[in-house]
Amino acid sequence: MTALKMIGIGLAAVLLGSTAVSAKTLVFCAEGSPENFTPALNTTGTSLDAARPVFDQLVEFERGSTTLKPGLAESWIISPDGKTVTFKLRQNVKFGATREFKPTRDFNADDVLFSFHRQSDEQNPYFKVSGGKYDYYNDMDMPKLLTSIAKTDDHTIVMTLSEPNVAILANLAMDFATIQSAEYADYLLKKGKPEQFDQVPVGTGPFVFASYQKDAVIRFKANPAYWGGKPAIDDLVYAITPDPTARVSKLKTGECQVAPFPRPADIPELQNDPNLNVLSQPGLNIGYLAFNAAKPPFDKKEVRQALSMAIDRKAIITQVYGQSGQMAKNLIPPTMWAFNDKVTDYPFDPAKAQALLKDAGVSGPLDIDLWYMPVQRPYNPDAKRMAEMMQSDLAKVGVNAKLVTYEWGEYRKRLQNGEATAALFGWTGDNGDPDNFFFFLGCIDGKPAASNVGKWCDPTFNANLAKARQANDQAERTRLYGEMQVIEHDQEPVLNIAHSLVYEPVRKEVVDFKMSPLSRQQFDGVDLK
Amino acid sequence: MIRFFLSRLALTIPTFVALTFLTFVAIRLVPGDPVEVRVGEHGISPERLAMFRHQLGLDQPVWRQFTDYGWGLLHGDFGTSLSTSGKVLTEFLTLFPATVELSACAMLFAIVLGIPMGVFAAVKRGTWADQALMGLSVTGYSMPIFWWGLLLIMLVAEQWHLTPVSGRIDLIRFDYDTPTGFMLIDSLLSDEPGAFLDALHHLVLPTIVLGTIPLAVVARMTRSSMLEVLSEDYVRTARAKGLSPFRVVGVHALRNALIPVTTVIGLMIGSLLAGAVLTETIFSWPGVGHYLIEAISRRDYPALQGGIMLVSTVVILVNLLVDVAYGVVNPRIRHGR
Amino acid sequence: MAAELSARADGPAARLPAAPAPPSAFRNFWSSFGEGKGAVLGLAIVAFVALLAIFAPLVAPHSPIEQFRDAVKAPPVWQDGGSWRYVLGTDGVGRDMLSRLIYGARVSLFIGLSVMCVSFVVGVVLGLASAYFGGVVDVLITRLMDRIMSVPDLVLAILAVAVLGPSLVNTIVAVTIVYVPRYVRLVRGSALAELDKDYVMAAKVAGVGPLRLMLSTILPNCLAPLIVQAALGLSDAILEAAALGFLGLGAQPPTPEWGAMLADSREFIRSQPWIVTFPGLAILITVVSINLLGDGLRDAFDPKMRRG
């Protein structure tokens, strides 16, 4: 039998081939292929994770937290009016070399200018390369916020802002603000191959890019000249494994050492495996059910409250999230400093829900569309199952929910156009600032923003949102956000369902791997036993 | 002969034109927008959306987009992927060897096991062995392979540790260039000891999963075709002449019985590629089936269009070759029709 | 999973010399059908599944969509913690597995039969038109069918569903698009062979109109391979629909479609394997028995096999 023979040969190969490997290699089972290696162009965690080993930012997040620390900028000074930020750049920082390109100079202010100009200046030769979509730069409102960026000498950068904004440093620590090599950009431009800039990355980070085969593998080597010290592992390999079942299997057999995004159902088994450590971290996210306040009868807050009480969220969390969910009462997760613990959650009370519906003048069966997204999101591992459970709960209080879904892009578009009556949706935080959560229920000039899928506007809520953005004092901001959470709870434009707990199983031989609340994968500082 | 080949080749030209047009139109009808898909929960302002649609040429009338695309095709340009900004042809060519390697192994698996099984069943017609083999074969081609793949990973790879779970090579132990993209060939070229066996080892499970249906088909076809041949007069004559049964079956009968089997094998290429879509998804196999599925979910029009075109081209060419080969074997086809 | 289909269409079935069956053939047919034990077994199981599907409300112990929150992921009766209340256990939201499988038979058979009927009719019309009119009509139809067949079937089905949006009806449409060319080719081939025969000439000379000639003279004579193709096509349609369901492109929740049930429960393959095992087994058993039945039909229709 050929198959058996092949298996036999393979076994022999495994036994023979287990010669000692001196270099320390860490294999990470990545969940997909990156779109390219320039973080500014990308929005998916998959692509950002793939570029991260190679790059640094001016300001960086402490590994495993949202605390900021100096990166390529050694220090910074914010002017008293809050509108000017001056960065002092780190010196003697080397760029990694690739097969083709050997850098001739150290990192300096020109690299910073290039990295920002590429995203902001239409005249920059790289502006349109690789599609030129700088979504994060625009999402974070940088074009409006950043009036100018200039260098005063080779190691000093001055940024001028249009208004004081407390979140600017956190923004600059995000991946889109990655610093790339201006020299490399010029080199490729002269060779007439600018698109290669985004395919073969050159950066100052802890690792140097070695090779990439689409849908198969990305290889990195430790950067011996890294300014933060050479990483403990020598080789970093991303084995691209889209199927979650396969990822778990590979982890268990030792084909990889770190595997993200296990399915909730697999977690108990992983926890029982003596070879694994299952790390977990409260995710900076919220999964919710949005009611469209622009569509009757959801314009009445009693109806929204009634539906919130009719849904058994506890059962949903047990069955959909397993151990990886935490019931949510507020928009922001309890780990955030602005969290208002005084808010009392709605109970699960179908009888009261029915009474409320009756009081609101809803008599007889109510027909609604219940939308669920067709994809798995960090804040919602299985929207379909969640919707099926809600459908069954709502039927018990006389609400007939028809389940509706669209292709993911289409879903979002229609949702933001206000076509849904009730829809599952959610948000994942980008930088740990509460503003990054509250803004999505905001209104601009009294009209709901696109991200505000509940199409709900409240003047006090919006006034507070604007005030908190400019306030420098954290106590003041806490007060403002606390008030907003009370309003949000009373008005119930969305039913907060859960903050997911993010799990990441790693093998026991992995030392000091830290999960990030921002769902970033980071391998400098990680060692192998 | 050459005229026959050329006429068949000429017939494929309108096929290509129609194919281009049909896929092009079908893909534009798919709801969803490539720009919308990628922005996620953040959303995008109408101005920026309009700008990108303009940049990508999506605001042009469809006929205009089509003529532009056709013009590109004539120059060998299959377009640029919207999600990776890479050339579709280049991406396809880097992924295609993986699919070919897997399909070829699956086919080989099917042929090497299927033909002896079929012959055996035909010779032992009616015995329990025949019935068992044919029972297995029916089960094989009724197999929902997405389920089959999951079961095999669970049992063979994880419980019994007989094979790796997925991937093409042990990434910790081996690191070498892949100039051809065929892992079996590259591993031999790399002169890293054990790499070839390791690559082979990784191929075992996906090969079995993708090869199950072809195996069942080949076994059945061989059996029925063999039965037919065995009842022909010349076989009876050969038997009557006292030739050894082995010679009768192995040489005289098998050679003739294999003609229809060969055709079937050729025709299976297309469906093998379809099976590869599921197999590659389950085994994280970096091939074109996986690429097409990704392209659909990302609404990456050029990648999807180019991918379908290229896959179909391969199918058409293979069918053409089968057709011609059959024409060589059987002159009646060449002159008929 | 389509490999064997094209194989069969162009293989033995297509090469059948479609001998006009003698009028008293039923007994003859039945006896040769009964020769293959597999065929009888297949028939029995198909009949059983069909009965389950028809009488689902009477047979199923529970509603297929009712969620028993107190018994989510209950194991089947023979495992520790199983109970007779949920014989095959419950799924990820507490719906009774057995009931869902029984109702799922309805969905799968409905999809399969719909695809079969529509492709049969469309295939006959296009195939006969192509054979009879020849010329431009023939070229157009055959070329279009070739085009469709040159795209790998699952990719084509996915594309069709992507255009139409996922739903039960669209699954049927998508799978039909994939399978129609096979019927068209088969009908066209058989009809062309018949058109050359003397009795058709005679009928033509006798002044039989084209429509009548096609439908009452030629069609009955190509029926045997068509029936075989239809039977085997049924199983392929069920498999293809399950594959679409598996990719999330089939019937929408809470419809108990086997492929979708499998996909929804994929995550439990490690922790609660029965939730994944049963839908897969249901698909496998149904498809195997339909195939056995189809093989029996072909053997019974095929005089050569009968003789040998």
Side-chain angles (χ1 to χ4, degrees), chain A residues 186-217:
Chain A
D186 286 341
Y187 167 83
L188 287 177
L189 203 58
K190 280 198 197 96
K191 288 193 68 177
K193 298 194 290 190
E195 61 291 335
Q196 205 186 317
F197 186 76
D198 304 316
Q199 306 295 335
V200 182
V202 169
T204 56
F207 293 89
V208 182
F209 173 85
S211 67
Y212 167 50
Q213 285 163 264
K214 188 174 164 50
D215 292 342
V217 58

Side-chain angles (χ1 to χ4, degrees), chain C residues 200-219:
Chain C
V200 178
M201 285 303 196
K204 265 188 185 165
V205 173
V208 179
L211 195 68
R212 213 178 129 213
L213 184 71
M214 291 315 306
L215 292 182
S216 63
T217 313
I218 295 181
L219 183 59

Side-chain angles (χ1 to χ4, degrees), chain A residues 65-114:
Chain A
S65 82
T66 56
T67 316
L68 299 174
K69 63 164 191 179
L72 286 175
E74 266 176 344
S75 61
W76 52 85
I77 301 160
I78 302 178
S79 67
D81 69 350
K83 286 189 171 181
T84 316
V85 192
T86 311
F87 292 94
K88 196 84 201 138
L89 302 185
R90 201 175 287 278
Q91 303 200 19
N92 302 319
V93 172
K94 311 266 181 245
F95 280 100
T98 67
R99 274 186 206 190
E100 205 185 317
F101 170 75
K102 309 279 175 260
T104 60
R105 65 164 176 78
D106 289 353
F107 155 76
N108 66 27
D110 291 329
D111 299 314
V112 180
L113 291 183
F114 165 76

Side-chain angles (χ1 to χ4, degrees), chain C:
Chain C
M1 62 220 61
E4 77 287 357
L5 227 237
S6 48
R8 279 195 225 114
D10 301 276
R15 289 183 290 112
L16 280 184
S24 63
F26 182 74
R27 182 176 286 267
N28 197 353
F29 169 83
W30 178 250
S31 73
S32 62
F33 178 83
E35 260 173 37
K37 289 177 200 105
V40 177
L41 181 69
L43 181 64
I45 300 177
V46 172
F48 178 67
V49 173
L51 286 176
L52 279 184
I54 294 168
F55 297 108
L58 300 177
V59 188
H62 301 281
S63 148
I65 56 171
E66 187 175 354
Q67 303 175 2
F68 300 96
R69 293 280 165 79
D70 53 336
V72 176
K73 292 180 251 175
V77 63
W78 58 86
Q79 285 202 352
D80 285 349
S83 83
W84 280 103
R85 187 157 169 236
Y86 311 108
V87 179
L88 296 182
T90 59
D91 72 359
V93 291
R95 291 174 296 209
D96 181 50
M97 184 57 80
L98 179 61
S99 310
R100 280 182 77 71
L101 288 177
I102 292 174
Y103 276 91
R106 267 190 174 185
V107 178
S108 285
L109 289 185
F110 175 71
I111 294 177
L113 288 173
S114 311
V115 170
M116 188 178 93
C117 295
V118 179
S119 345
F120 192 96
V121 173
V122 176
V124 165
V125 171
L126 290 182
L128 286 183
S130 176
Y132 191 81
F133 296 112
V136 183
V137 179
D138 185 28
V139 169
L140 275 182
I141 293 177
T142 45
R143 290 295 152 229
L144 181 66
M145 294 303 135
D146 286 355
R147 223 95 317 138
I148 294 178
M149 287 185 89
S150 70
V151 181
D153 50 14
L154 190 58
V155 174
L156 183 64
I158 292 171
L159 193 61
V161 174
V163 171
L164 300 166
S167 77
L168 190 64
V169 176
N170 292 342
T171 304
I172 295 171
V173 175
V175 180
T176 305
I177 293 176
V178 173
Y179 287 125
V180 152
R182 297 179 182 163
Y183 291 83
V184 176
R185 278 194 171 184
L186 193 62
V187 175
R188 178 178 171 273
S190 322
L192 277 181
E194 292 299 312
L195 275 171
D196 280 349
K197 294 208 171 137
D198 290 342
Y199 76 95
V200 178
M201 285 303 196
K204 265 188 185 165
V205 173
V208 179
L211 195 68
R212 213 178 129 213
L213 184 71
M214 291 315 306
L215 292 182
S216 63
T217 313
I218 295 181
L219 183 59
N221 284 309
C222 353
L223 219 49
L226 252 179
I227 291 175
V228 174
Q229 164 73 37
L232 297 172
L234 176 62
S235 61
D236 285 299
I238 291 177
L239 264 186
E240 190 91 3
L244 282 178
F246 180 74
L247 293 169
L249 299 169
Q252 292 301 297
T255 316
E257 201 271 321
W258 289 341
M261 284 167 70
L262 193 58
D264 287 349
S265 54
R266 256 185 96 174
E267 61 181 289
F268 303 120
I269 191 159
R270 237 164 253 295
S271 45
Q272 287 88 9
W274 68 88
I275 307 181
V276 194
T277 312
F278 293 132
L281 273 182
I283 300 172
L284 182 61
I285 291 173
T286 310
V287 174
V288 166
S289 50
I290 294 174
N291 279 334
L292 285 173
L293 175 64
D295 287 350
L297 283 179
R298 186 184 49 201
D299 290 352
F301 276 126
D302 188 338
K304 262 193 199 166
M305 303 298 275
R306 219 184 286 174
R307 192 186 58 205

Side-chain angles (χ1 to χ4, degrees), chain A residues 44-64:
Chain A
T44 60
T46 311
S47 297
L48 299 176
D49 285 337
R52 189 164 304 115
V54 183
F55 291 116
D56 291 310
Q57 295 79 34
L58 289 177
V59 184
E60 295 187 347
F61 293 114
E62 200 82 64
R63 206 158 59 88

Side-chain angles (χ1 to χ4, degrees), chain B residues 41-62:
Chain B
E41 283 87 354
H42 280 275
I44 187 167
S45 69
E47 300 80 48
R48 277 172 53 76
L49 182 64
M51 186 180 100
F52 291 130
R53 291 184 56 84
H54 177 70
Q55 242 179 49
L56 298 170
L58 295 174
D59 56 346
Q60 304 260 13
V62 172

